[in-house]
Amino acid sequence: MINSLDGVGGAGRQQGAPELVTGGRDGSVKVWDVRQEVPVAVMEPAEGEPRRDCWTVAFGNSYNTEERCVCAGYDNGDIKLFDLRAMKVRWETNVKNGVCCVQFDRRDIEMNKIVATTLESGVLVFDGRTQHPERGLTCLRERAHKSTVWCVRHLPQNRDIFMTCGGSGSLNLWQYTYPAKRRDRDAGGDFGVMGTLTQLQSGIVSSQPVSALDWSPDKRGLCACIAFDQTVRVLIVTKLQLYG
Amino acid sequence: MVVNTTKSESLRAKYDLDIEQLDYKYIGQCTKVKTIENILRVLRSGQEGVYPDLVRFTEERLRTLKPSSALLRTEQPATALRFLDSKERDELLSDLTEWKQEVSAADAELKSSESAKEPTDQQLPPVRGTVQLRSAAAGERKPEPEQKPARIASYDYAAWDRYDVEAQLKLLDESDAPAAPPQSAVQPPSDPAIDDQPPVEGLSAAERSALALREKQKGNEYFRSGDFSRAAVYYTRSINASPTAAAFNNRAQANLKLGKYGSALMDCGAVLRREPNNVKALLRRGIARQMNKDWIKARLDFQRVLELEPNNPQARQHLGEVEKAIIGSETKRSKVLIQEVDSMEEEGVQGPAPAGDGDGHADSHQDKSDARTSLESDAAVGHKDDVSNKGPALIQEITQSENTEEVVINTRFRTQQPERSKNEVSISKEPEVGCGEKQKESPLPASHAANPKALSKDDEETTSEITSRTPEQDTPADAPKQLPQTLVADSSVPGHRVTDQPPPRPPATGSGQPHRWSTFEFMREWRCARRSERSAAATAVLLRSVDPDQLTEVLGAELDSALLSSVIRCVDEVMLAQDGPQRCHQLLQRLTDARRFHVVKLLLDARDRQRLQSIAERLWRRGVDVTALERSFLS
């Protein structure tokens, strides 16, 4: 069973091969090219290892035709970052709660930020620009929604604004501001410095969990979400142009 | 704070708070954010009772201490359209309708355009090779522990003979050395290869402009996060997809931040070619020019901005800076190359060498619009040994436009400051530059072969005097040692290609004659005098050496508040006592005729005004009619 799906590439929109990535119940993350039936890359646990549900996948770092990364979140709290050009695991970590949703702030630039949302109201922002050899990517944690955070979606017109959807039926709009110095150095190497996360707005749209949301790429602030109460809602978020 | 985790424990105990702390007085004076937050949690939980006012009070207090606190976040139901007031609702709906129309139009255009076909396989990159990656499981097997070499038994003498002490010591040393830090599998490349050309093959114009907009947005995001080089790259991509004025403008700003003023100039130029009244582009071009020290053009740009937007604070500020820089640079502009040519006595030939050198220098400024040349002869006392006997020593003063290289300054020329006056003098025209004549000549084009004339900037300068003089004039006995001497270049010297020069003025003789100053020299001497220990006395000496009738020309447009203040002080302290009232009165009278006097007069401070009052009073007591003076100074 496929839990999550993402796509990137193809001429005219972004550079690189047109590919899809799926994350499934069997713990495998498969990358498909639309031109053929056999997956072009499969990332799965080794034989005999316990297979954890892969709940979410996302593409990123696709700034030219060769580079591409896949980030996958699992139900035991694992987050793994796969580099598709080098065919290696670039980074992995465990955030203690099942990861419901993972997204890069933009697919078609060098990886800048990764936002992961977890069970038990966890919202984590990772700085993808600097990777410390031991500590990996730096993280900023927030608590929100007082329940499972089902989904995170970045605004297509501004990579520093994103919306999270919660199990309490609420939506939170966040803005990330960068620190003065984005990286620092210690004995082991360079590490990233996190900025601050401000909650711009929050609103309850439903009494049931809001499980998915998407922004319109054409109109800033227009989005659609679905909730467990079998409704599709179309929302407008105003005054986003004030944030850049 | 001790945190106990038994379930039956109350929150208050968990946060270690006293009941007295849940009180208006305590909360009102508490400044610790954590304590207030804990108090709020306890109150909100209701375990100690329900106190809505106290809760609100605590929230207010927390808001003053830390407005971004997570506890202050509230969740309200999202507004529906029917709950908005009519103005907002209408705005929203009209905005949406407008957008819908735009999108339908763009959609129709896209559908009708030719390139509504799928990209062919040739255009797409090849399929990624099929690879299977087995990710490491959670509990990785540890590498087997190293097998230590077996211990040699104490009785095993043969083995002990074979034991190599040196090798073992080396091994020990190596194992003590710090291990290299573990490298992660893949690191992000420090210099990513982002293509300058976005994928635009086969796209229609509408698609290209949409792509350009997205690339510009990416550039904006990088700019906001402080990454100016990548921002510039994405703006370049946007321009390559579909050039827009906004993308050029933004790239200019990114280049300004990166310090690439040349590229910023080009980008602003590109914008202004399409939109000549684009305020942002003008402002940025002005800033780029200011950074390149192109003061005049920068000033033009900022003035243009202020014409279009009179309240632009940035333009004002930059204009002020540029004006200051212009004033500063006007005194700095000319650099002097001293060329010993001839002694001034003979009417001999001036070799083409000096003139040639001057021309050579000037030729190098062909394209600089305000390149001028002038000569100022100098035969300071110390140079006497260098001066050949043939003619006047010539100093070719080559003025340069503001952002050019500097001409070598002969170190014999005794001055420590790089300040120079705006005055230029023609090589051989000194005699013409007689008593107080103002030369108004147009700026010289670089090829001053035709016309090495005295140039006055903005037609306002006095001419610098170059008088021919005899060697006796070399150092007036009373002049301070720093005063340089001026010589006249002989006008009849043919090498200067000057035409129509009247015969030189007979050299002034005797040290009693008031020295003919050039503005540049005067100002220089005044600055030296001002810095010297007995500045009033030195200024007095200087002022005495100036013929009062020449004062206005000598000062030129150099009069500023510092100079005026020092003159007043000098008159007050020294000259009134030593030189007599008539002389002082004459000096001050002439001063009022100097340019800029009226402006500078307004800048006099209270002390100077007091001094003037006292001077006027003393002059009056000695019988000088000071009404006119008072009126002009103190009105």
Side-chain angles (χ1 to χ4, degrees):
Chain A
M1 186 178 108
I2 291 180
N3 283 329
S4 169
L5 178 71
D6 196 12
V8 74
R13 295 238 0 140
Q14 290 139 355
Q15 288 170 297
E19 286 176 345
L20 297 172
V21 63
T22 57
R25 194 90 168 279
D26 58 354
S28 65
V29 174
K30 295 188 180 161
V31 181
W32 310 83
D33 192 297
V34 299
R35 294 167 279 184
Q36 68 176 41
E37 285 181 8
V38 178
V40 297
V42 177
M43 280 81 83
E44 60 185 355
E47 291 290 339
E49 294 299 332
R51 286 178 168 256
R52 312 295 324 200
D53 255 356
C54 173
W55 276 356
T56 175
V57 286
F59 268 123
N61 203 36
S62 182
Y63 61 89
N64 64 17
T65 46
E66 289 91 34
E67 288 281 349
R68 197 163 283 171
C69 284
V70 169
C71 188
Y74 297 80
D75 69 343
N76 63 343
D78 279 346
I79 302 180
K80 293 182 201 276
L81 185 64
F82 303 106
D83 186 318
L84 291 182
R85 185 181 56 87
M87 276 303 170
K88 283 195 173 152
V89 177
R90 197 151 161 171
W91 164 72
E92 53 187 339
T93 184
N94 186 296
V95 298
K96 311 285 190 299
N97 279 310
V99 181
C100 295
C101 187
V102 147
Q103 203 195 31
F104 287 85
D105 57 356
R106 272 194 182 270
R107 286 190 194 94
D108 49 0
I109 58 174
E110 292 164 80
M111 51 180 202
N112 185 48
K113 290 198 309 294
I114 306 171
V115 180
T117 61
T118 69
L119 305 177
E120 295 183 26
S121 35
V123 175
L124 298 102
V125 182
F126 294 94
D127 175 46
R129 284 288 289 274
T130 323
Q131 184 170 355
H132 190 264
E134 288 153 37
R135 303 208 294 262
L137 306 185
T138 329
C139 171
L140 171 68
R141 290 188 100 105
E142 266 286 349
R143 305 210 86 85
H145 299 284
K146 298 199 177 79
S147 53
T148 308
V149 186
W150 282 84
C151 177
V152 62
R153 284 288 178 259
H154 288 88
L155 189 64
Q157 290 86 4
N158 187 342
R159 71 182 188 192
D160 300 318
I161 294 186
F162 59 90
M163 182 90 93
T164 51
C165 317
S168 51
S170 56
L171 301 173
N172 280 358
L173 187 68
W174 303 88
Q175 184 190 27
Y176 179 78
T177 30
Y178 294 93
K181 224 171 103 170
R182 283 194 71 179
R183 65 170 60 115
D184 213 340
R185 184 172 277 261
D186 71 356
D190 281 348
F191 62 92
V193 177
M194 294 314 293
T196 50
L197 206 54
T198 0
Q199 186 183 70
L200 297 178
Q201 184 58 277
S202 96
I204 303 176
V205 296
S206 162
S207 52
Q208 301 281 342
V210 178
S211 55
L213 178 139
D214 197 15
W215 295 99
S216 162
D218 299 310
K219 172 80 178 132
R220 191 199 307 247
L222 188 64
C223 59
C225 67
I226 55 162
F228 280 12
D229 56 1
Q230 298 171 343
T231 53
V232 177
R233 292 177 171 81
V234 176
L235 306 158
I236 299 175
V237 182
T238 54
K239 298 191 186 150
L240 283 173
Q241 66 277 6
L242 297 176
Y243 297 100
Chain B
M1 183 183 86
V2 176
V3 178
N4 296 319
T5 51
T6 53
K7 272 211 183 105
S8 57
E9 191 182 50
S10 72
L11 271 180
R12 190 169 64 79
K14 179 176 159 207
Y15 293 128
D16 205 17
L17 290 170
D18 281 336
I19 200 79
E20 282 86 21
Q21 286 176 290
L22 307 179
D23 182 58
Y24 286 96
K25 214 163 123 208
Y26 178 81
I27 294 167
Q29 53 83 32
C30 180
T31 49
K32 289 210 196 111
V33 171
K34 267 217 121 8
T35 320
I36 298 282
E37 283 185 344
N38 291 338
I39 291 175
L40 189 56
R41 285 193 185 104
V42 169
L43 288 174
R44 276 182 178 166
S45 72
Q47 285 178 357
E48 306 297 325
V50 179
Y51 306 104
D53 284 327
L54 190 58
V55 169
R56 248 175 284 136
F57 182 78
T58 318
E59 282 170 2
E60 280 308 313
R61 181 80 189 145
L62 185 57
R63 195 163 287 130
T64 56
L65 291 175
K66 187 183 176 193
S68 61
S69 167
L71 289 176
L72 293 172
R73 293 177 186 154
T74 53
E75 278 187 358
Q76 305 290 339
T79 328
L81 200 59
R82 61 182 179 276
F83 296 130
L84 289 176
D85 64 337
S86 57
K87 181 161 161 286
E88 273 189 52
R89 184 170 49 219
D90 291 337
E91 237 178 78
L92 206 57
L93 287 175
S94 65
D95 185 40
L96 272 176
T97 337
E98 228 180 83
W99 169 73
K100 212 168 114 181
Q101 284 166 354
E102 276 172 26
V103 164
S104 319
D107 197 32
E109 192 195 323
L110 280 172
K111 282 206 178 102
S112 65
S113 77
E114 293 295 316
S115 68
K117 47 182 184 285
E118 291 299 314
T120 58
D121 276 351
Q122 281 86 11
Q123 292 171 321
L124 294 173
V127 177
R128 216 179 280 275
T130 313
V131 169
Q132 201 145 23
L133 178 73
R134 291 283 161 91
S135 65
E140 225 172 352
R141 270 186 314 151
K142 289 206 175 57
E144 288 170 19
E146 282 177 11
Q147 299 293 347
K148 285 217 189 79
R151 289 187 64 170
I152 304 177
S154 54
Y155 47 80
D156 192 356
Y157 301 118
W160 279 113
D161 283 335
R162 281 195 302 271
Y163 185 78
D164 185 1
V165 180
E166 299 295 315
Q168 292 298 324
L169 282 177
K170 226 185 243 173
L171 270 178
L172 268 179
D173 286 336
E174 277 163 22
S175 68
D176 280 345
Q183 286 300 319
S184 62
V186 188
Q187 283 283 5
S190 52
D191 188 16
I194 305 176
D195 204 359
D196 263 356
Q197 185 68 249
V200 289
E201 302 85 21
L203 292 185
S204 69
E207 285 170 333
R208 285 175 81 120
S209 60
L211 182 62
L213 183 66
R214 276 197 296 278
E215 297 290 333
K216 185 175 77 86
Q217 270 170 355
K218 287 186 214 167
N220 288 347
E221 288 161 3
Y222 273 115
F223 191 94
R224 266 199 301 274
S225 74
D227 201 343
F228 303 119
S229 49
R230 281 188 179 78
V233 167
Y234 279 98
Y235 292 137
T236 312
R237 280 168 65 103
S238 171
I239 289 166
N240 287 338
S242 169
T244 54
F248 276 113
N249 245 345
N250 290 355
R251 193 169 69 169
Q253 180 72 330
N255 280 332
L256 279 182
K257 294 278 186 186
L258 287 171
K260 294 186 185 164
Y261 301 119
S263 323
L265 278 175
M266 289 205 295
D267 288 330
C268 294
V271 177
L272 290 167
R273 270 196 289 279
R274 291 152 213 262
E275 291 179 22
N277 286 339
N278 189 312
V279 169
K280 275 189 201 168
L282 283 169
L283 193 57
R284 285 164 192 169
R285 192 170 69 171
I287 294 172
R289 283 174 169 170
Q290 183 185 355
M291 292 298 154
N292 270 341
K293 304 202 194 307
D294 196 354
W295 313 116
I296 311 291
K297 292 193 187 151
R299 181 165 68 177
L300 286 175
D301 277 334
F302 292 129
Q303 282 168 344
R304 228 3 239 298
V305 172
L306 285 172
E307 280 169 34
L308 295 167
E309 262 186 32
N311 294 329
N312 192 316
Q314 266 188 311
R316 260 182 230 255
Q317 181 203 347
H318 284 284
L319 187 60
E321 288 168 15
V322 168
E323 296 277 10
K324 261 191 235 160
I326 288 180
I327 295 174
S329 77
E330 276 167 9
T331 54
K332 268 190 206 207
R333 198 151 30 90
S334 45
K335 299 293 172 188
V336 177
L337 171 71
I338 299 175
Q339 190 87 30
E340 292 292 343
V341 182
D342 280 323
S343 82
M344 36 145 277
E345 283 303 68
E346 289 192 3
E347 318 223 334
V349 181
Q350 279 319 307
D357 283 337
D359 289 339
H361 275 285
D363 285 343
S364 71
H365 307 307
Q366 282 286 343
D367 23 320
K368 300 197 171 46
S369 54
D370 29 356
R372 305 163 198 164
T373 64
S374 68
L375 265 200
E376 198 179 308
S377 47
D378 174 0
V381 173
H383 305 178
K384 250 208 160 134
D385 38 322
D386 296 325
V387 177
S388 65
N389 284 338
K390 303 237 172 41
L394 300 173
I395 301 168
Q396 283 185 330
E397 185 180 277
I398 296 168
T399 62
Q400 325 222 347
S401 54
E402 284 72 27
N403 52 350
T404 62
E405 68 280 10
E406 319 218 304
V407 180
V408 170
I409 297 180
N410 192 315
T411 52
R412 301 175 302 170
F413 194 72
R414 286 192 265 163
T415 173
Q416 48 288 51
Q417 314 93 327
E419 296 143 358
R420 300 281 181 267
S421 76
K422 333 184 243 276
N423 279 331
E424 295 108 24
V425 186
S426 74
I427 291 175
S428 48
K429 265 200 172 175
E430 296 77 43
E432 216 173 76
V433 177
C435 312
E437 282 174 40
K438 283 206 173 136
Q439 290 279 24
K440 293 192 192 282
E441 268 116 11
S442 53
L444 186 70
S447 60
H448 48 275
N451 264 333
K453 296 184 190 178
L455 302 169
S456 48
K457 183 159 163 62
D458 302 331
D459 288 340
E460 64 190 50
E461 264 54 81
T462 64
T463 55
S464 55
E465 302 93 327
I466 298 181
T467 57
S468 58
R469 46 174 207 104
T470 60
E472 294 92 67
Q473 205 187 13
D474 274 350
T475 316
D478 54 343
K481 277 284 155 57
Q482 303 113 309
L483 288 183
Q485 311 307 312
T486 54
L487 288 182
V488 171
D490 205 331
S491 67
S492 58
V493 169
H496 300 300
R497 301 179 242 163
V498 170
T499 57
D500 303 327
Q501 303 311 317
R505 219 159 61 95
T509 51
S511 50
Q513 192 80 305
H515 189 84
R516 290 204 59 92
W517 285 106
S518 71
T519 306
F520 154 63
E521 288 166 331
F522 180 83
M523 292 308 292
R524 196 183 57 219
E525 292 319 308
W526 172 68
R527 283 184 202 105
C528 288
R530 189 168 70 147
R531 272 203 296 279
S532 71
E533 302 229 322
R534 293 166 55 239
S535 63
T539 318
V541 168
L542 182 62
L543 287 174
R544 277 184 214 127
S545 72
V546 180
D547 184 356
D549 293 325
Q550 269 45 299
L551 191 62
T552 42
E553 289 109 31
V554 169
L555 285 178
E558 289 291 339
L559 185 66
D560 64 1
S561 57
L563 179 55
L564 187 61
S565 180
S566 89
V567 169
I568 291 172
R569 183 167 156 242
C570 164
V571 168
D572 183 32
E573 291 174 7
V574 178
M575 289 185 75
L576 211 51
Q578 295 182 7
D579 290 290
Q582 286 297 340
R583 182 60 201 258
C584 296
H585 180 248
Q586 197 185 28
L587 182 66
L588 291 171
Q589 194 73 29
R590 290 283 173 269
L591 207 58
T592 64
D593 294 331
R595 295 180 64 100
R596 296 183 55 180
F597 171 74
H598 295 284
V599 174
V600 176
K601 164 184 85 169
L602 297 170
L603 298 172
L604 288 178
D605 62 8
R607 220 174 62 153
D608 287 328
R609 284 183 206 275
Q610 268 174 351
R611 281 191 214 266
L612 279 170
Q613 292 276 18
S614 110
I615 292 172
E617 203 183 332
R618 280 182 273 170
L619 286 176
W620 181 77
R621 260 193 261 130
R622 301 214 211 156
V624 181
D625 176 22
V626 291
T627 47
L629 202 65
E630 277 188 322
R631 211 179 327 127
S632 40
F633 262 104
L634 299 169
S635 63

